[in-house]
Amino acid sequence: MRVVVGERMGGPEVLAVAEREAPRPGPGEVVVDVAAAGVNYMDIYQREGIGNYRPEPPFVPGAEGAGTVAAVPVPDGMNLQVAAAAILQGMTAHYLCTSTYPVREGDITVVHAAAGGVGLLLTQMVKRRGGVVVGTTSGGPKVELALQAGADHVVGYDRFRDIVDEVSDGAGAHVVYDGVGRDTFDDGLAALRPRGMMVLYGAASGQVPPVDPQRLNSGGSLFLTRPTLVHYVADATELRWRAGEVFDWITKGELDVRIGGTYPLSDAARAQEDLAGRRTTGKLLLLPGL
Ligand SMILES: NC(=O)c1ccc[n+]([C@@H]2O[C@H](COP(=O)([O-])OP(=O)(O)OC[C@H]3O[C@@H](n4cnc5c(N)ncnc54)[C@H](OP(=O)(O)O)[C@@H]3O)[C@@H](O)[C@H]2O)c1
């Protein structure tokens, strides 16, 4: 079995492809012959040993994939690359807008990095719930992609507060979905209406420094949460519900999954560099078959 291994914590150079003995499934487990593996920010946090992500070296990064035997049944006929691209980020977008802050018709939402992997899926899901999406991107072709996903407004990170102000008649956003973190957090908090919710779900630009709870008071009795997927797929029922809805929407053509780039396993480091370097849109996949 070929795996990507990190021999120690560090930059992309610590990653290398190695041979390992194929695992044997224990009770209640399956072995998946992976056809496509998703590249996620979590893999970068693991490699760098950031926050709660501190695997013991040597470690095998990665948390997403699809293959011939799966713990989550993939509907018959679904392309395995699409399944791999949709599962982690699809369930993330799903829990963010259905459970963390359940978007209602007319709610004004901010979706940061709207042309990213989570961003494109979240934008589409907020729209199907009737929300208004103010999306941010760094510009260029990312603007068009976010608009195609259904965003009502797509602007740079320096302008989203003005647009929220405009579309809400000064009231502010109901929710800010922020996977960018350090660079956007303060403006996001300031863009919320009283009792609005800051959903800080990632740190693409770096970790947000400690927050004084009094800021939530002066901002208007705001809510702040830092959710993680694992707590929103707490048991098999919840996991099957979220994965089932995501796959159902894809099968019906109601959710578009954009695969922004595919890489051979030996280019795992380059995939992570491209992701962290803001050079990507949609989802990145490692394909062992390439
Ligand atoms: N909590 C959870 O359950 C969960 C699950 C999955 C993912 N996540 C988080 O979701 C976020 C998005 O993940 P993703 O895989 O979909 O990545 P992504 O959005 O495809 O890529 C990150 C994007 O963030 C934007 N960005 C803004 N400032 C940046 C900076 N200083 N450095 C790098 N990127 C910057 C870039 O878009 P622009 O060029 O348009 O600015 C970049 O393309 C990450 O923070 C990840 O950790 C959280």
Side-chain angles (χ1 to χ4, degrees), residues 39-42 45 53 88-89 92 95-96 113-119 136-139 142 157 179-180 183 200-206 226-230 275-283:
V39 180
N40 287 289
Y41 252 90
M42 200 175 91
Y45 303 151
Y53 302 97
L88 190 148
Q89 294 179 338
T92 297
Y95 84 71
L96 290 174
V118 175
T136 55
T137 74
S138 54
K142 295 187 177 189
Y157 295 93
V180 171
D183 291 358
L200 178 67
Y201 69 95
S205 69
R226 176 50 179 98
T228 295
L229 175 62
V230 69
L275 182 60
R278 305 171 82 155
R279 290 187 285 278
T280 66
T281 58
K283 180 72 193 178

mmCIF file of all heavy atoms in Angstrom, residues 39-42 45 53 88-89 92 95-96 113-119 136-139 142 157 179-180 183 200-206 226-230 275-283, ligand 1:
data_model
loop_
_atom_site.group_PDB
_atom_site.id
_atom_site.type_symbol
_atom_site.label_atom_id
_atom_site.label_comp_id
_atom_site.label_asym_id
_atom_site.label_seq_id
_atom_site.Cartn_x
_atom_site.Cartn_y
_atom_site.Cartn_z
ATOM 1 N N VAL A 39 -7.801 16.792 -0.397
ATOM 2 C CA VAL A 39 -6.773 17.593 0.281
ATOM 3 C C VAL A 39 -7.504 18.669 1.077
ATOM 4 O O VAL A 39 -8.337 19.378 0.527
ATOM 5 C CB VAL A 39 -5.827 18.254 -0.746
ATOM 6 C CG1 VAL A 39 -4.762 19.087 -0.034
ATOM 7 C CG2 VAL A 39 -5.198 17.187 -1.640
ATOM 8 N N ASN A 40 -7.204 18.758 2.383
ATOM 9 C CA ASN A 40 -7.893 19.702 3.242
ATOM 10 C C ASN A 40 -6.908 20.517 4.068
ATOM 11 O O ASN A 40 -5.769 20.094 4.290
ATOM 12 C CB ASN A 40 -8.831 18.951 4.206
ATOM 13 C CG ASN A 40 -10.049 18.419 3.493
ATOM 14 O OD1 ASN A 40 -10.924 19.187 3.096
ATOM 15 N ND2 ASN A 40 -10.093 17.118 3.288
ATOM 16 N N TYR A 41 -7.379 21.659 4.528
ATOM 17 C CA TYR A 41 -6.555 22.490 5.404
ATOM 18 C C TYR A 41 -6.118 21.732 6.647
ATOM 19 O O TYR A 41 -5.028 21.934 7.176
ATOM 20 C CB TYR A 41 -7.310 23.764 5.800
ATOM 21 C CG TYR A 41 -6.716 24.955 5.110
ATOM 22 C CD1 TYR A 41 -7.179 25.351 3.875
ATOM 23 C CD2 TYR A 41 -5.629 25.619 5.641
ATOM 24 C CE1 TYR A 41 -6.600 26.403 3.204
ATOM 25 C CE2 TYR A 41 -5.041 26.671 4.979
ATOM 26 C CZ TYR A 41 -5.534 27.068 3.773
ATOM 27 O OH TYR A 41 -4.945 28.100 3.108
ATOM 28 N N MET A 42 -6.987 20.825 7.106
ATOM 29 C CA MET A 42 -6.651 20.030 8.289
ATOM 30 C C MET A 42 -5.327 19.290 8.090
ATOM 31 O O MET A 42 -4.548 19.127 9.024
ATOM 32 C CB MET A 42 -7.776 19.028 8.522
ATOM 33 C CG MET A 42 -7.847 18.480 9.893
ATOM 34 S SD MET A 42 -9.310 17.444 9.987
ATOM 35 C CE MET A 42 -8.621 15.901 9.537
ATOM 36 N N TYR A 45 -2.674 21.746 8.865
ATOM 37 C CA TYR A 45 -2.570 21.973 10.317
ATOM 38 C C TYR A 45 -1.852 20.786 10.984
ATOM 39 O O TYR A 45 -1.021 20.959 11.867
ATOM 40 C CB TYR A 45 -3.959 22.125 10.963
ATOM 41 C CG TYR A 45 -4.856 23.224 10.402
ATOM 42 C CD1 TYR A 45 -6.243 23.087 10.453
ATOM 43 C CD2 TYR A 45 -4.354 24.385 9.843
ATOM 44 C CE1 TYR A 45 -7.093 24.068 9.954
ATOM 45 C CE2 TYR A 45 -5.194 25.370 9.341
ATOM 46 C CZ TYR A 45 -6.565 25.205 9.393
ATOM 47 O OH TYR A 45 -7.402 26.171 8.902
ATOM 48 N N TYR A 53 -4.258 19.787 16.369
ATOM 49 C CA TYR A 53 -3.803 18.832 15.358
ATOM 50 C C TYR A 53 -2.334 18.495 15.575
ATOM 51 O O TYR A 53 -1.454 19.149 15.023
ATOM 52 C CB TYR A 53 -3.998 19.416 13.951
ATOM 53 C CG TYR A 53 -5.425 19.787 13.659
ATOM 54 C CD1 TYR A 53 -5.865 21.084 13.814
ATOM 55 C CD2 TYR A 53 -6.338 18.827 13.234
ATOM 56 C CE1 TYR A 53 -7.184 21.424 13.557
ATOM 57 C CE2 TYR A 53 -7.653 19.158 12.967
ATOM 58 C CZ TYR A 53 -8.063 20.458 13.136
ATOM 59 O OH TYR A 53 -9.362 20.801 12.873
ATOM 60 N N LEU A 88 -16.193 15.480 2.896
ATOM 61 C CA LEU A 88 -15.812 16.234 4.097
ATOM 62 C C LEU A 88 -16.300 17.679 4.009
ATOM 63 O O LEU A 88 -16.974 18.182 4.904
ATOM 64 C CB LEU A 88 -14.293 16.172 4.278
ATOM 65 C CG LEU A 88 -13.758 16.717 5.608
ATOM 66 C CD1 LEU A 88 -12.496 15.953 6.027
ATOM 67 C CD2 LEU A 88 -13.454 18.202 5.559
ATOM 68 N N GLN A 89 -16.000 18.325 2.898
ATOM 69 C CA GLN A 89 -16.409 19.727 2.785
ATOM 70 C C GLN A 89 -17.919 19.854 2.613
ATOM 71 O O GLN A 89 -18.520 20.823 3.071
ATOM 72 C CB GLN A 89 -15.672 20.388 1.620
ATOM 73 C CG GLN A 89 -14.165 20.474 1.903
ATOM 74 C CD GLN A 89 -13.384 21.101 0.789
ATOM 75 O OE1 GLN A 89 -13.836 21.134 -0.356
ATOM 76 N NE2 GLN A 89 -12.193 21.593 1.093
ATOM 77 N N THR A 92 -19.392 19.502 5.952
ATOM 78 C CA THR A 92 -19.052 20.716 6.716
ATOM 79 C C THR A 92 -20.014 21.843 6.346
ATOM 80 O O THR A 92 -20.622 22.469 7.220
ATOM 81 C CB THR A 92 -17.592 21.140 6.433
ATOM 82 O OG1 THR A 92 -16.726 20.097 6.884
ATOM 83 C CG2 THR A 92 -17.247 22.433 7.136
ATOM 84 N N TYR A 95 -23.481 21.096 7.876
ATOM 85 C CA TYR A 95 -23.740 21.348 9.302
ATOM 86 C C TYR A 95 -23.678 22.842 9.628
ATOM 87 O O TYR A 95 -24.401 23.331 10.496
ATOM 88 C CB TYR A 95 -22.828 20.504 10.219
ATOM 89 C CG TYR A 95 -21.447 21.057 10.511
ATOM 90 C CD1 TYR A 95 -21.258 22.176 11.339
ATOM 91 C CD2 TYR A 95 -20.303 20.448 10.004
ATOM 92 C CE1 TYR A 95 -19.992 22.664 11.627
ATOM 93 C CE2 TYR A 95 -19.036 20.930 10.284
ATOM 94 C CZ TYR A 95 -18.890 22.049 11.089
ATOM 95 O OH TYR A 95 -17.631 22.535 11.373
ATOM 96 N N LEU A 96 -22.800 23.572 8.892
ATOM 97 C CA LEU A 96 -22.674 25.008 9.187
ATOM 98 C C LEU A 96 -23.996 25.744 8.976
ATOM 99 O O LEU A 96 -24.393 26.560 9.802
ATOM 100 C CB LEU A 96 -21.594 25.641 8.303
ATOM 101 C CG LEU A 96 -20.142 25.247 8.607
ATOM 102 C CD1 LEU A 96 -19.198 25.840 7.562
ATOM 103 C CD2 LEU A 96 -19.724 25.690 10.002
ATOM 104 N N ALA A 113 -14.084 33.434 1.642
ATOM 105 C CA ALA A 113 -13.413 32.517 0.699
ATOM 106 C C ALA A 113 -14.476 31.729 -0.076
ATOM 107 O O ALA A 113 -14.463 30.503 -0.138
ATOM 108 C CB ALA A 113 -12.458 31.574 1.429
ATOM 109 N N ALA A 114 -15.388 32.485 -0.691
ATOM 110 C CA ALA A 114 -16.571 31.874 -1.306
ATOM 111 C C ALA A 114 -16.250 31.018 -2.526
ATOM 112 O O ALA A 114 -17.097 30.250 -2.972
ATOM 113 C CB ALA A 114 -17.583 32.963 -1.681
ATOM 114 N N ALA A 115 -15.049 31.140 -3.100
ATOM 115 C CA ALA A 115 -14.685 30.300 -4.248
ATOM 116 C C ALA A 115 -13.845 29.099 -3.829
ATOM 117 O O ALA A 115 -13.367 28.344 -4.671
ATOM 118 C CB ALA A 115 -13.926 31.124 -5.286
ATOM 119 N N GLY A 116 -13.669 28.926 -2.531
ATOM 120 C CA GLY A 116 -12.877 27.796 -2.038
ATOM 121 C C GLY A 116 -13.700 26.517 -1.997
ATOM 122 O O GLY A 116 -14.871 26.495 -2.399
ATOM 123 N N GLY A 117 -13.091 25.459 -1.482
ATOM 124 C CA GLY A 117 -13.761 24.165 -1.428
ATOM 125 C C GLY A 117 -15.037 24.230 -0.608
ATOM 126 O O GLY A 117 -16.139 23.941 -1.096
ATOM 127 N N VAL A 118 -14.920 24.637 0.648
ATOM 128 C CA VAL A 118 -16.107 24.763 1.494
ATOM 129 C C VAL A 118 -16.972 25.911 0.984
ATOM 130 O O VAL A 118 -18.201 25.797 0.916
ATOM 131 C CB VAL A 118 -15.724 25.006 2.975
ATOM 132 C CG1 VAL A 118 -16.970 25.250 3.818
ATOM 133 C CG2 VAL A 118 -14.929 23.830 3.535
ATOM 134 N N GLY A 119 -16.343 27.009 0.595
ATOM 135 C CA GLY A 119 -17.070 28.222 0.232
ATOM 136 C C GLY A 119 -18.079 28.025 -0.891
ATOM 137 O O GLY A 119 -19.217 28.489 -0.791
ATOM 138 N N THR A 136 -16.885 36.657 -0.094
ATOM 139 C CA THR A 136 -15.596 37.333 -0.296
ATOM 140 C C THR A 136 -14.647 36.418 -1.060
ATOM 141 O O THR A 136 -14.705 35.190 -0.920
ATOM 142 C CB THR A 136 -14.924 37.700 1.040
ATOM 143 O OG1 THR A 136 -14.803 36.513 1.828
ATOM 144 C CG2 THR A 136 -15.693 38.759 1.785
ATOM 145 N N THR A 137 -13.788 37.038 -1.886
ATOM 146 C CA THR A 137 -12.695 36.319 -2.542
ATOM 147 C C THR A 137 -11.563 37.325 -2.748
ATOM 148 O O THR A 137 -11.755 38.539 -2.577
ATOM 149 C CB THR A 137 -13.069 35.773 -3.948
ATOM 150 O OG1 THR A 137 -13.121 36.866 -4.867
ATOM 151 C CG2 THR A 137 -14.390 35.036 -3.969
ATOM 152 N N SER A 138 -10.407 36.815 -3.196
ATOM 153 C CA SER A 138 -9.293 37.717 -3.507
ATOM 154 C C SER A 138 -9.402 38.237 -4.935
ATOM 155 O O SER A 138 -8.507 38.922 -5.417
ATOM 156 C CB SER A 138 -7.961 36.999 -3.286
ATOM 157 O OG SER A 138 -7.943 35.787 -4.025
ATOM 158 N N GLY A 139 -10.467 37.910 -5.641
ATOM 159 C CA GLY A 139 -10.694 38.500 -6.959
ATOM 160 C C GLY A 139 -10.353 37.569 -8.106
ATOM 161 O O GLY A 139 -10.221 36.361 -7.934
ATOM 162 N N LYS A 142 -12.061 33.942 -9.347
ATOM 163 C CA LYS A 142 -12.795 33.469 -8.168
ATOM 164 C C LYS A 142 -14.141 34.186 -8.024
ATOM 165 O O LYS A 142 -15.104 33.621 -7.516
ATOM 166 C CB LYS A 142 -11.958 33.646 -6.902
ATOM 167 C CG LYS A 142 -10.695 32.780 -6.890
ATOM 168 C CD LYS A 142 -9.958 32.835 -5.568
ATOM 169 C CE LYS A 142 -8.747 31.901 -5.593
ATOM 170 N NZ LYS A 142 -8.101 31.733 -4.302
ATOM 171 N N TYR A 157 -12.090 41.375 0.579
ATOM 172 C CA TYR A 157 -12.207 41.306 2.041
ATOM 173 C C TYR A 157 -12.310 42.684 2.686
ATOM 174 O O TYR A 157 -12.771 42.808 3.820
ATOM 175 C CB TYR A 157 -11.006 40.545 2.622
ATOM 176 C CG TYR A 157 -11.002 39.098 2.188
ATOM 177 C CD1 TYR A 157 -10.305 38.690 1.052
ATOM 178 C CD2 TYR A 157 -11.725 38.150 2.899
ATOM 179 C CE1 TYR A 157 -10.329 37.372 0.633
ATOM 180 C CE2 TYR A 157 -11.749 36.828 2.484
ATOM 181 C CZ TYR A 157 -11.046 36.447 1.352
ATOM 182 O OH TYR A 157 -11.092 35.143 0.950
ATOM 183 N N GLY A 179 -13.931 30.878 7.564
ATOM 184 C CA GLY A 179 -12.876 29.865 7.572
ATOM 185 C C GLY A 179 -11.515 30.487 7.308
ATOM 186 O O GLY A 179 -10.530 29.785 7.164
ATOM 187 N N VAL A 180 -11.477 31.819 7.226
ATOM 188 C CA VAL A 180 -10.208 32.512 6.941
ATOM 189 C C VAL A 180 -9.494 32.858 8.248
ATOM 190 O O VAL A 180 -8.288 32.704 8.380
ATOM 191 C CB VAL A 180 -10.459 33.764 6.061
ATOM 192 C CG1 VAL A 180 -9.201 34.611 5.940
ATOM 193 C CG2 VAL A 180 -10.927 33.330 4.670
ATOM 194 N N ASP A 183 -7.258 37.179 9.568
ATOM 195 C CA ASP A 183 -7.361 38.408 8.772
ATOM 196 C C ASP A 183 -8.791 38.959 8.679
ATOM 197 O O ASP A 183 -8.975 40.119 8.295
ATOM 198 C CB ASP A 183 -6.869 38.161 7.335
ATOM 199 C CG ASP A 183 -5.367 37.926 7.283
ATOM 200 O OD1 ASP A 183 -4.716 38.002 8.343
ATOM 201 O OD2 ASP A 183 -4.860 37.640 6.178
ATOM 202 N N LEU A 200 -16.784 30.715 13.434
ATOM 203 C CA LEU A 200 -15.362 30.654 13.063
ATOM 204 C C LEU A 200 -15.011 29.184 12.880
ATOM 205 O O LEU A 200 -14.883 28.454 13.862
ATOM 206 C CB LEU A 200 -14.528 31.270 14.184
ATOM 207 C CG LEU A 200 -13.015 31.238 13.984
ATOM 208 C CD1 LEU A 200 -12.590 32.131 12.838
ATOM 209 C CD2 LEU A 200 -12.308 31.638 15.273
ATOM 210 N N TYR A 201 -14.887 28.754 11.626
ATOM 211 C CA TYR A 201 -14.709 27.316 11.422
ATOM 212 C C TYR A 201 -13.354 26.954 10.824
ATOM 213 O O TYR A 201 -13.131 25.794 10.455
ATOM 214 C CB TYR A 201 -15.857 26.733 10.575
ATOM 215 C CG TYR A 201 -15.872 27.155 9.135
ATOM 216 C CD1 TYR A 201 -15.285 26.357 8.156
ATOM 217 C CD2 TYR A 201 -16.454 28.347 8.750
ATOM 218 C CE1 TYR A 201 -15.281 26.741 6.817
ATOM 219 C CE2 TYR A 201 -16.454 28.743 7.426
ATOM 220 C CZ TYR A 201 -15.868 27.930 6.466
ATOM 221 O OH TYR A 201 -15.862 28.318 5.147
ATOM 222 N N GLY A 202 -12.435 27.919 10.742
ATOM 223 C CA GLY A 202 -11.112 27.589 10.215
ATOM 224 C C GLY A 202 -10.176 28.767 10.296
ATOM 225 O O GLY A 202 -10.545 29.843 10.812
ATOM 226 N N ALA A 203 -8.979 28.576 9.792
ATOM 227 C CA ALA A 203 -7.922 29.565 9.981
ATOM 228 C C ALA A 203 -6.977 29.582 8.785
ATOM 229 O O ALA A 203 -5.767 29.466 8.943
ATOM 230 C CB ALA A 203 -7.163 29.250 11.260
ATOM 231 N N ALA A 204 -7.534 29.764 7.573
ATOM 232 C CA ALA A 204 -6.687 29.737 6.383
ATOM 233 C C ALA A 204 -5.627 30.837 6.425
ATOM 234 O O ALA A 204 -4.543 30.675 5.876
ATOM 235 C CB ALA A 204 -7.547 29.876 5.123
ATOM 236 N N SER A 205 -5.918 31.962 7.093
ATOM 237 C CA SER A 205 -4.942 33.060 7.153
ATOM 238 C C SER A 205 -4.165 33.039 8.464
ATOM 239 O O SER A 205 -3.325 33.908 8.692
ATOM 240 C CB SER A 205 -5.659 34.406 7.017
ATOM 241 O OG SER A 205 -6.448 34.666 8.164
ATOM 242 N N GLY A 206 -4.445 32.104 9.341
ATOM 243 C CA GLY A 206 -3.803 32.030 10.655
ATOM 244 C C GLY A 206 -4.845 32.019 11.761
ATOM 245 O O GLY A 206 -6.005 32.372 11.536
ATOM 246 N N ARG A 226 -16.834 27.960 17.603
ATOM 247 C CA ARG A 226 -15.725 27.428 16.795
ATOM 248 C C ARG A 226 -16.001 25.935 16.582
ATOM 249 O O ARG A 226 -15.526 25.078 17.324
ATOM 250 C CB ARG A 226 -14.402 27.667 17.524
ATOM 251 C CG ARG A 226 -13.132 27.077 16.861
ATOM 252 C CD ARG A 226 -13.024 27.447 15.400
ATOM 253 N NE ARG A 226 -11.816 26.919 14.756
ATOM 254 C CZ ARG A 226 -11.771 25.810 14.032
ATOM 255 N NH1 ARG A 226 -12.840 25.046 13.877
ATOM 256 N NH2 ARG A 226 -10.651 25.443 13.454
ATOM 257 N N PRO A 227 -16.834 25.628 15.568
ATOM 258 C CA PRO A 227 -17.293 24.246 15.384
ATOM 259 C C PRO A 227 -16.314 23.392 14.585
ATOM 260 O O PRO A 227 -15.483 23.912 13.835
ATOM 261 C CB PRO A 227 -18.576 24.436 14.571
ATOM 262 C CG PRO A 227 -18.294 25.646 13.738
ATOM 263 C CD PRO A 227 -17.404 26.543 14.556
ATOM 264 N N THR A 228 -16.430 22.097 14.743
ATOM 265 C CA THR A 228 -15.622 21.122 14.009
ATOM 266 C C THR A 228 -16.510 19.968 13.579
ATOM 267 O O THR A 228 -17.390 19.536 14.340
ATOM 268 C CB THR A 228 -14.483 20.604 14.917
ATOM 269 O OG1 THR A 228 -13.627 21.699 15.204
ATOM 270 C CG2 THR A 228 -13.663 19.536 14.245
ATOM 271 N N LEU A 229 -16.265 19.479 12.366
ATOM 272 C CA LEU A 229 -17.127 18.457 11.754
ATOM 273 C C LEU A 229 -17.389 17.263 12.666
ATOM 274 O O LEU A 229 -18.520 16.782 12.761
ATOM 275 C CB LEU A 229 -16.507 17.982 10.435
ATOM 276 C CG LEU A 229 -17.224 16.832 9.719
ATOM 277 C CD1 LEU A 229 -18.645 17.218 9.321
ATOM 278 C CD2 LEU A 229 -16.439 16.405 8.471
ATOM 279 N N VAL A 230 -16.353 16.800 13.345
ATOM 280 C CA VAL A 230 -16.502 15.550 14.102
ATOM 281 C C VAL A 230 -17.648 15.632 15.119
ATOM 282 O O VAL A 230 -18.347 14.648 15.378
ATOM 283 C CB VAL A 230 -15.158 15.144 14.756
ATOM 284 C CG1 VAL A 230 -14.768 16.097 15.873
ATOM 285 C CG2 VAL A 230 -15.205 13.715 15.255
ATOM 286 N N LEU A 275 -2.862 24.944 -2.034
ATOM 287 C CA LEU A 275 -4.034 25.272 -1.203
ATOM 288 C C LEU A 275 -3.706 26.436 -0.263
ATOM 289 O O LEU A 275 -4.447 27.420 -0.190
ATOM 290 C CB LEU A 275 -4.469 24.030 -0.408
ATOM 291 C CG LEU A 275 -5.705 24.164 0.467
ATOM 292 C CD1 LEU A 275 -6.941 24.529 -0.363
ATOM 293 C CD2 LEU A 275 -5.979 22.860 1.238
ATOM 294 N N ALA A 276 -2.582 26.325 0.442
ATOM 295 C CA ALA A 276 -2.209 27.374 1.400
ATOM 296 C C ALA A 276 -1.803 28.660 0.679
ATOM 297 O O ALA A 276 -1.893 29.746 1.248
ATOM 298 C CB ALA A 276 -1.062 26.883 2.287
ATOM 299 N N GLY A 277 -1.386 28.547 -0.585
ATOM 300 C CA GLY A 277 -0.924 29.718 -1.343
ATOM 301 C C GLY A 277 -2.044 30.444 -2.072
ATOM 302 O O GLY A 277 -1.766 31.299 -2.917
ATOM 303 N N ARG A 278 -3.284 30.076 -1.823
ATOM 304 C CA ARG A 278 -4.487 30.728 -2.389
ATOM 305 C C ARG A 278 -4.555 30.578 -3.895
ATOM 306 O O ARG A 278 -5.189 31.387 -4.561
ATOM 307 C CB ARG A 278 -4.534 32.226 -2.044
ATOM 308 C CG ARG A 278 -4.452 32.525 -0.602
ATOM 309 C CD ARG A 278 -4.284 33.999 -0.344
ATOM 310 N NE ARG A 278 -5.551 34.718 -0.378
ATOM 311 C CZ ARG A 278 -5.762 35.860 0.252
ATOM 312 N NH1 ARG A 278 -4.801 36.398 0.961
ATOM 313 N NH2 ARG A 278 -6.922 36.458 0.178
ATOM 314 N N ARG A 279 -3.881 29.552 -4.425
ATOM 315 C CA ARG A 279 -3.846 29.402 -5.887
ATOM 316 C C ARG A 279 -4.960 28.502 -6.390
ATOM 317 O O ARG A 279 -4.989 28.184 -7.580
ATOM 318 C CB ARG A 279 -2.489 28.804 -6.303
ATOM 319 C CG ARG A 279 -1.326 29.758 -6.134
ATOM 320 C CD ARG A 279 -0.047 29.201 -6.717
ATOM 321 N NE ARG A 279 0.545 28.164 -5.906
ATOM 322 C CZ ARG A 279 1.320 28.365 -4.845
ATOM 323 N NH1 ARG A 279 1.589 29.599 -4.455
ATOM 324 N NH2 ARG A 279 1.818 27.368 -4.153
ATOM 325 N N THR A 280 -5.863 28.080 -5.515
ATOM 326 C CA THR A 280 -6.834 27.057 -5.912
ATOM 327 C C THR A 280 -8.261 27.553 -5.775
ATOM 328 O O THR A 280 -8.547 28.508 -5.064
ATOM 329 C CB THR A 280 -6.673 25.805 -5.022
ATOM 330 O OG1 THR A 280 -7.033 26.149 -3.683
ATOM 331 C CG2 THR A 280 -5.239 25.303 -5.056
ATOM 332 N N THR A 281 -9.149 26.839 -6.484
ATOM 333 C CA THR A 281 -10.589 27.045 -6.306
ATOM 334 C C THR A 281 -11.192 25.661 -6.120
ATOM 335 O O THR A 281 -10.618 24.659 -6.570
ATOM 336 C CB THR A 281 -11.232 27.699 -7.545
ATOM 337 O OG1 THR A 281 -10.972 26.863 -8.678
ATOM 338 C CG2 THR A 281 -10.674 29.085 -7.799
ATOM 339 N N GLY A 282 -12.361 25.616 -5.489
ATOM 340 C CA GLY A 282 -13.033 24.328 -5.321
ATOM 341 C C GLY A 282 -12.165 23.342 -4.561
ATOM 342 O O GLY A 282 -11.384 23.710 -3.689
ATOM 343 N N LYS A 283 -12.273 22.076 -4.964
ATOM 344 C CA LYS A 283 -11.683 20.982 -4.205
ATOM 345 C C LYS A 283 -10.430 20.415 -4.870
ATOM 346 O O LYS A 283 -10.401 20.255 -6.088
ATOM 347 C CB LYS A 283 -12.742 19.871 -4.121
ATOM 348 C CG LYS A 283 -12.303 18.661 -3.379
ATOM 349 C CD LYS A 283 -12.223 18.970 -1.931
ATOM 350 C CE LYS A 283 -11.476 17.895 -1.158
ATOM 351 N NZ LYS A 283 -11.383 18.268 0.247
HETATM 352 N N1 LIG B 1 -14.364 23.217 11.140
HETATM 353 C C1 LIG B 1 -14.608 22.310 10.227
HETATM 354 O O1 LIG B 1 -15.407 21.396 10.449
HETATM 355 C C2 LIG B 1 -13.912 22.429 8.902
HETATM 356 C C3 LIG B 1 -14.011 21.397 7.942
HETATM 357 C C4 LIG B 1 -13.399 21.596 6.690
HETATM 358 C C5 LIG B 1 -12.692 22.768 6.441
HETATM 359 N N2 LIG B 1 -12.589 23.704 7.426
HETATM 360 C C6 LIG B 1 -11.888 24.976 7.205
HETATM 361 O O2 LIG B 1 -12.485 25.629 6.103
HETATM 362 C C7 LIG B 1 -11.560 26.545 5.576
HETATM 363 C C8 LIG B 1 -11.574 26.405 4.064
HETATM 364 O O3 LIG B 1 -11.041 25.128 3.710
HETATM 365 P P1 LIG B 1 -10.917 24.690 2.195
HETATM 366 O O4 LIG B 1 -10.194 23.396 2.184
HETATM 367 O O5 LIG B 1 -12.239 24.800 1.567
HETATM 368 O O6 LIG B 1 -9.908 25.777 1.632
HETATM 369 P P2 LIG B 1 -10.204 26.857 0.498
HETATM 370 O O7 LIG B 1 -11.293 27.757 0.957
HETATM 371 O O8 LIG B 1 -10.350 26.162 -0.798
HETATM 372 O O9 LIG B 1 -8.829 27.630 0.493
HETATM 373 C C9 LIG B 1 -8.599 28.660 1.413
HETATM 374 C C10 LIG B 1 -8.992 30.012 0.826
HETATM 375 O O10 LIG B 1 -8.968 30.965 1.869
HETATM 376 C C11 LIG B 1 -8.751 32.226 1.312
HETATM 377 N N3 LIG B 1 -7.758 32.987 2.085
HETATM 378 C C12 LIG B 1 -7.958 34.231 2.589
HETATM 379 N N4 LIG B 1 -6.870 34.669 3.202
HETATM 380 C C13 LIG B 1 -5.938 33.705 3.088
HETATM 381 C C14 LIG B 1 -4.586 33.602 3.502
HETATM 382 N N5 LIG B 1 -3.962 34.603 4.165
HETATM 383 N N6 LIG B 1 -3.900 32.468 3.206
HETATM 384 C C15 LIG B 1 -4.493 31.465 2.547
HETATM 385 N N7 LIG B 1 -5.787 31.513 2.123
HETATM 386 C C16 LIG B 1 -6.508 32.625 2.386
HETATM 387 C C17 LIG B 1 -8.232 32.015 -0.133
HETATM 388 O O11 LIG B 1 -9.285 32.389 -1.017
HETATM 389 P P3 LIG B 1 -9.174 33.845 -1.700
HETATM 390 O O12 LIG B 1 -7.953 33.794 -2.579
HETATM 391 O O13 LIG B 1 -10.439 33.994 -2.442
HETATM 392 O O14 LIG B 1 -9.033 34.824 -0.580
HETATM 393 C C18 LIG B 1 -8.004 30.526 -0.207
HETATM 394 O O15 LIG B 1 -8.194 30.027 -1.508
HETATM 395 C C19 LIG B 1 -10.200 26.232 6.225
HETATM 396 O O16 LIG B 1 -9.963 27.165 7.233
HETATM 397 C C20 LIG B 1 -10.434 24.858 6.832
HETATM 398 O O17 LIG B 1 -9.621 24.624 7.949
HETATM 399 C C21 LIG B 1 -13.188 23.551 8.634
#
